[in-house]
Amino acid sequence: MALLTSAALAQWVAPGTTFGAPSSLSYSQAMAYVTVQMNAAAVQRAQAELNRINGLSRNNPSAQATARTQAQTRPQTSFKPGAQRLLLNPFVRSLSNKPAEVQELTRAFTEGFKGFEAEARRLGRPHNVAMAFTYLVGVCYLVHYGEEPTEAALLNLQANTDAAFGASEAFRRLTDGERQRMYEAFVLMATLPLLGYTVAVQENDPKLLEDYREIAGVALEATLGVRPERLKFTPTGLELR
């Protein structure tokens, strides 16, 4: 589905691209870096609230439709972006310090941003932290389970996430720059496993695919605060099992 895949990214990672899983050390460094940028207090508060909202809206289509409308017309997690990316270069350099790899990774993650942001604009949710959070969860679910959530389910999750973060006092206090850092952290965390997944599928590399399946599982747990085996996307959104 378009929301979770980028044509530009797929074209960049053409067959024959040399791309492997990051070392455990470099991946740990990258995860530590983006975790700080995510603002732990705001995320932890939103995680608990998101679980509650998901449960309440699961069997109430009317309430969910209202939530989607509010998330689009009166979003609580949008921000005014700055003139440049705040985390792209530091994130890439947390993965590699080799000039050639830095150049290739920068190009790949830039394409990841372009692909995601084009879809966010199409859906009327640009520069929105909840949309980036949803993208991360959807991508990691796809990579970890090999199943694509529907666009409707993702938009339901985005609406619930917008409400959950909006209910967090810690999040409401964030500046535009701090929101941008959180937004970029979510997109970067999504692009890394998506890039690896794309290459692994194109190259028919089961070992690389398994490496990124594990990376996606770690990212899911960090983002939602629960083990990935407890998560399930349904037509109405995300459920905890």
Side-chain angles (χ1 to χ4, degrees):
M1 60 182 297
L3 182 57
L4 300 186
T5 58
S6 165
L9 183 63
Q11 290 170 5
W12 183 80
V13 289
T17 296
T18 300
F19 187 84
S23 69
S24 58
L25 178 59
S26 63
Y27 182 64
S28 296
Q29 290 172 331
M31 284 295 293
Y33 179 79
V34 296
T35 298
V36 171
Q37 307 305 327
M38 279 164 50
N39 191 302
V43 172
Q44 289 170 2
R45 175 66 182 85
Q47 285 171 343
E49 182 66 9
L50 178 60
N51 292 341
R52 186 186 71 82
I53 294 173
N54 281 340
L56 290 175
S57 64
R58 188 175 303 136
N59 298 314
N60 192 334
S62 177
Q64 188 64 72
T66 299
R68 286 198 303 274
T69 299
Q70 179 167 318
Q72 185 169 19
T73 59
R74 297 187 301 280
Q76 301 183 66
T77 65
S78 294
F79 62 94
K80 182 179 180 180
Q84 59 187 11
R85 304 286 182 204
L86 301 178
L87 302 188
L88 176 59
N89 290 337
F91 180 79
V92 167
R93 292 185 183 280
S94 73
L95 290 171
S96 176
N97 57 8
K98 298 177 181 179
E101 291 183 0
V102 167
Q103 183 177 9
E104 290 186 356
L105 287 169
T106 299
R107 182 181 175 188
F109 283 109
T110 297
E111 294 299 336
F113 271 111
K114 288 180 180 178
F116 163 72
E117 290 177 340
E119 287 304 304
R121 288 193 299 271
R122 178 181 70 83
L123 296 168
R125 293 162 173 82
H127 312 307
N128 183 270
V129 176
M131 192 74 246
F133 179 98
T134 300
Y135 178 61
L136 170 60
V137 173
V139 163
C140 289
Y141 190 90
L142 164 66
V143 175
H144 189 72
Y145 287 109
E147 300 175 9
E148 295 184 6
T150 66
E151 186 170 286
L154 290 169
L155 289 179
N156 286 345
L157 175 60
Q158 188 272 339
N160 294 347
T161 301
D162 195 73
F165 275 99
S168 166
E169 183 178 350
F171 181 85
R172 292 197 300 269
R173 290 198 302 263
L174 297 180
T175 65
D176 281 331
E178 289 169 330
R179 292 186 181 201
Q180 182 175 340
R181 285 179 177 274
M182 183 180 287
Y183 164 94
E184 290 188 18
F186 290 146
V187 177
L188 289 165
M189 287 175 67
T191 304
L192 177 61
L194 180 58
L195 178 60
Y197 175 84
T198 302
V199 172
V201 170
Q202 289 184 347
E203 297 295 320
N204 191 26
D205 187 334
K207 176 60 170 62
L208 187 62
L209 190 62
E210 179 61 22
D211 288 340
Y212 277 97
R213 190 192 75 81
E214 293 179 5
I215 286 174
V218 171
L220 276 174
E221 185 169 1
T223 305
L224 292 168
V226 297
R227 294 288 301 164
E229 56 265 23
R230 294 188 58 200
L231 304 173
K232 181 174 177 59
F233 264 102
T234 71
T236 60
L238 185 67
E239 295 184 8
L240 289 181
R241 295 182 286 192

